[in-house]
Amino acid sequence: MTAPGRYAASDNSFTKSMATAAARGGILIAIAIVIGVLLLWQGFDSDEPITTATDDSDETADDAVEQETTSTTTREASDEGDVGTTTAPTTAAPVVVDPPNSVKVAVLNGRGEPGLAGSRKDHLTTAGYVAEGFNADTFDKEFSRVYYTPGYEDEAELVAVALNGSPSVIERAPTDPLTLVAEGNPNAAEFNIYVVLGADAVLG
């Protein structure tokens, strides 16, 4: 006896179940597509920039190049400045002295040689000074000196040179210069410079 065979139902139930499964699959695919689109859209709307290791290395390299260029430019500018820099020499201000014709010189004979003061006075007069000859307070002066009153130190040096001496013989005059002059010579007052001619004859 042959076993009965199994056949599909004649009411098309198998076809209906296949159609239902296909519809459900299509719905799931559509939902997946919608979710994917939403995720992509949110990703593109984000304000945060996307950085990579490559970008950071490029920026670091650019900064290094810029710093090197700046350093080189600064060094070149400094070198150029050094080449063109010169230091102006300092010069001493010129000494301003009164002209000889405004300087009054009293020439004092300090060693008793007749006519000594007069001859040296004439020498200074020829050089342009206003000079007069007198006797010193004594005739035993050992050293010749050029005494100056305040403000006439530079002029005293020139007077010493004019008498063939050196500036080493100049000194500041005493408070009362008339103490250098023989008594009875009031005309020797108010001179700017007093020249005492001594035994060393360094001023003539």
Side-chain angles (χ1 to χ4, degrees):
M1 179 175 179
T2 305
R6 301 183 63 182
Y7 301 96
S10 60
D11 58 358
N12 295 324
S13 60
F14 177 77
T15 302
K16 291 180 180 180
S17 64
M18 289 295 293
T20 301
R24 288 177 180 176
I27 293 172
L28 290 175
I29 292 173
I31 292 173
I33 292 173
V34 171
I35 292 174
V37 171
L38 291 174
L39 291 175
L40 289 174
W41 178 75
Q42 289 180 354
F44 286 121
D45 281 348
S46 176
D47 293 333
E48 296 181 359
I50 300 175
T51 58
T52 63
T54 302
D55 293 339
D56 290 341
S57 62
D58 291 342
E59 292 179 0
T60 302
D62 292 341
D63 291 341
V65 172
E66 182 178 356
Q67 290 177 0
E68 182 178 356
T69 303
T70 303
S71 176
T72 302
T73 303
T74 303
R75 184 167 56 253
E76 290 176 353
S78 176
D79 292 342
E80 291 176 358
D82 291 342
V83 172
T85 302
T86 56
T87 303
T90 56
T91 56
V95 177
V96 178
V97 297
D98 292 331
N101 60 6
S102 66
V103 179
K104 297 177 64 177
V105 183
V107 183
L108 310 179
N109 184 349
R111 66 174 184 258
E113 180 180 326
L116 178 62
S119 66
R120 306 314 290 159
K121 179 263 296 185
D122 291 342
H123 186 83
L124 291 175
T125 301
T126 302
Y129 292 95
V130 177
E132 293 291 340
F134 304 93
N135 287 327
D137 58 328
T138 65
F139 287 147
D140 59 355
K141 301 293 184 182
E142 183 177 358
F143 301 106
S144 300
R145 289 290 181 268
V146 177
Y147 294 96
Y148 60 89
T149 58
Y152 286 88
E153 180 176 1
D154 294 326
E155 288 80 0
E157 291 186 6
L158 296 178
V159 168
V161 172
L163 293 173
N164 301 319
S166 77
S168 63
V169 301
I170 70 170
E171 289 184 17
R172 187 181 181 89
T175 304
D176 183 6
L178 286 179
T179 59
L180 300 171
V181 187
E183 293 183 8
N185 285 309
N187 293 332
E190 299 182 357
F191 278 76
N192 309 124
I193 295 172
Y194 294 81
V195 177
V196 176
L197 303 173
D200 57 6
V202 296
L203 298 176

